[in-house]
Amino acid sequence: MSAFWTLLKRDLLLQVREGGAVGTALGFYLVVVTMMPLGLGPDLNLLSRIAPGVLWIALLLSALLSLPRIFEADDEDGSLEVIATGDLPLELATAAKALAHWISTGIPLALLAPVLGLLLNLELSAYPVLVATMLAGTPAISFLGAVGAALTLRVRRGGLLLALLVLPLYIPTLIFGIAAISAATGGPSGFQASFLILSAISLFSLVIGPVAAAAAIRFQTQ
Amino acid sequence: MTKAAMNPQQSLTQRLANPTRFMELSGRVLPWLAAAAALLIAYALYLVFFVAPDDYQQGQTVKIMFIHVPAAWLGMLGYALIAVSSFGYLVFRHPLADVSAKAAAPLGAAFTFLALATGSLWGKPMWGTYWVWDARLTSMLILLFLYFGLMALRSAIEDDALAGKLCAVLGLVGVSILPIIKFSVDWWNTLHQPASVIRLDGPTIHPDLLWPLLYSAVGFSLLFFALHTKGMRNEILRRRLRSLTMAEVDRARTVSATAAAE
Amino acid sequence: MRLAIEHLVVDRGARRIVDGLSFAVVAGDALVLVGPNGAGKTTVIRTVAGLIGAAGGTIALEGGDADKELPAQAHYIGHLNALKPSLTVEENLRFWADYLGAGAAASIDEALAAFDLEPLASIPAGYLSAGQKRRACLARLIATPRPLWLLDEPTVSLDAASVRLLAECVAQHLAGGGLVLAATHIPLGLARERRLELSAARSAAA
C-alpha cells in the first residue's frame, strides 16, 4: 500500500510544482459562471433559482478540461510503463492517479463554488450544503473521468472525444447534485435521499473507474 | 524465405477458422431472415392502416406507435447486444464478438434515432410541441449519446484490434451506468413534471392495436437481426481484405529483402 | 535463479513478430539480443517485462520470489527515461525507489554515486542534457535492488565514460548473482556476455 501513497504524493507534488492545470480549471469555472448572467440577464430571482444547475454544469466543464492530464504526461515520458512493472496492481495505480486528480482539481473547484454562488445570488443557507454536495459528487467526476482519459490516451486531439464519452456518464451526478442543493433551498425533493444517492454514485465510480481505466491502459501499452 | 512467407498466411487461416463457418451459415440464413422481416412488416403495416381502428383520443397519430415502440425496443436491444458482445470479446477473446459489437453500434443508434424522431412527431399533435422533456425520450436521447461515443471512439483509433478492446471497455462501463442514468432521469422527471403526461405506450391497450404492434415488433426485430448479420458479414469481408493486403505487403518486403541480399 | 523463455510467440496487430523463440538466462549471466531493426528485440524485452501479452509460450523466473509476478522482479529500462522535468534528480530517483521498492532498502546515495550524479542531485531533471537524463534514468537500477534487468538500448545518448559506468554496474549486478537481458548496439564489454542473433533464432525455430 505504501506504493499507492508514494504515487499519490508524487502526483500531488507535480501538481504543485507544475501548477497551471488547477489554475486554468478554476479560471475557466469563474469565466463560465460569469457568462451566465451575461447571457440570461441580471434578474436576481432567476439567477438564484438556476444557481445550483449553473454551478454544477460549469464545474463539470471545468473538470473536463483537466482530465486528459491524468495519464497523458506519464504516458509521454515512459513513466506509465515503469509504473506498470511495480508491485502495485495497475488498478490501484490508476485509482491513486484519479484520487490525486480529485484532490488537486475536484476539491479546489468545490471550494470555489460558494464564491461563485455569490455572483448568482444563491441563498446563504445553501452554502454549507453546496460545498458538502460538491465534495460528495466530485469523486465520480475524477474516477469516471479517468476511464475517459485512459480510453483516449493515444488518440490525437482526444480532448473533444473525451468530453463526448464522459459527459453522458456524469448525468446521474449532475441530477442528484443539483437536487440535493435545491432541496436545501426549499426545492421539491428531500435533501438526505439525494445526498445519499449522490454519495452512492461516487462510491460506485470509485470501484468501476480504476478497473476500467487500468484495462484501457493495458490494452494501449501493449 | 518460403517459410517466412507461409507463416503469416497460416496464422491468417487459423484466425479466420470461425468467421469462415459464420460466413457459410449466415449466408444461408440471411435471405430467409430478410424475407421474413419484409413479410411481417408488410403484414403489420396492412393491419395498421386498414384494420386497426383509430384511437378515440389520439386519432390517426396512434399509428406512429407501431414504428415508435419497436424502434425504441431495438434501440435498447442494440446496446444490450453491444454489452454482451463486449463481454464476450474481453473475456473469451472471440473475434466474432468484436465484429458483432461493431456492427450493432450504428444499427442501435439508427433505431434509437428513429424512436426519438417518431416520438417527437407524435408529440407535436399530442403535446403541441416537438420536444418534451419526457423521461423516456430523455433516456433515449442519452442512449443515443452513448452510441455516438462508442462510434466516435472506434473511428478515432486506427488499430482495429485496439479499437475493439477499448470500445468493449467503454461498452461495459456504459451498460453498468445505464441503469443509474435511467433511474436518475426518471427521478428527475417526476421531480420536475406532474405525472399527467400521456404515455405513448400505456399499460392499457386495445387488443385490435396489440396484434399489429406485436407483428410490427417481431418484424422490425427480424429486420434488425438481418441488418446486423449483413453488417457482420461486411465487417468480416473488410478484415479479410485487409489481412490479404497486409500479407501482400509482407511478401513484397521479403522478396525485396532477398533480392537485396543476393 | 534462471530466466527461462520457451516457445515464445508474440503478435503485433496481424503480424507475428516473434515466432517460437526459446532461450534462458542464468544467474550471473548477461544475454544481449542482436539483430537488424524490426527483428523483435524491443518486443521480446517488453514481453518479458509484461508490457506486451504473449500469444503463446512461457516466460518464467525460476528460483525467483514466488509471491511476486515476474515484472515486479524486473527493472525495465525502455527508450523513454520516465523522469519528471519538474522534480530534481534525487526526487525522481526517490520516487521510483519508493514506488518500485515497496519497502526494500533503497540506496539513493549509492545510485547517485554509481552514475556520477551527485553534483546534479538537486537540479530539476528538466535542465539536464540527454546523456545526463539517461544516467538519471539508469540510476533506478541501483536504487532498488531487483534480480532481473531488462535493458532496451540503455546506452542511447551516453558518452564513452558513462557507458563504462553502466558496464561497471552491470558487471557488479552479475557478480551479485543478477540476470541481464539487453538489446544494445554498443558492446558493454562484459566478461560473460552471450549474444543471441534474433532473426536467426526466429528462422531456426520456424
Side-chain angles (χ1 to χ4, degrees), chain B residues 71-93:
Chain B
W73 135 251
L74 290 170
M76 290 184 275
L77 178 82
Y79 209 90
L81 192 59
I82 289 174
V84 172
S85 304
S86 301
F87 185 79
Y89 188 48
L90 286 187
V91 175
F92 304 111
R93 299 287 155 121

Side-chain angles (χ1 to χ4, degrees), chain A residues 2-3 6-7 10 13-14 17-18 73-79 81-88 93 221-222, chain C residues 12 46 49 51-53 68 71-72 76 80-84 86-88 91 95-96 98-102 140 146:
Chain A
S2 76
T6 305
L7 185 58
R10 182 200 68 154
L13 180 63
L14 284 174
R17 288 275 170 86
E18 288 166 11
D74 274 343
D75 186 43
E76 278 165 3
D77 65 16
S79 297
E81 294 181 339
V82 185
I83 285 173
T85 63
D87 283 326
L88 195 67
T221 50
Q222 290 194 356
Chain C
R12 307 293 283 132
R46 288 174 60 85
L51 295 169
I52 298 179
K68 287 184 178 179
Y76 169 72
L80 297 165
N81 290 328
L83 297 173
K84 290 292 164 193
S86 62
L87 300 184
T88 67
E91 282 169 337
F95 163 68
W96 284 123
D98 288 348
Y99 184 82
L100 298 172
R140 203 166 74 215
R146 285 189 165 190

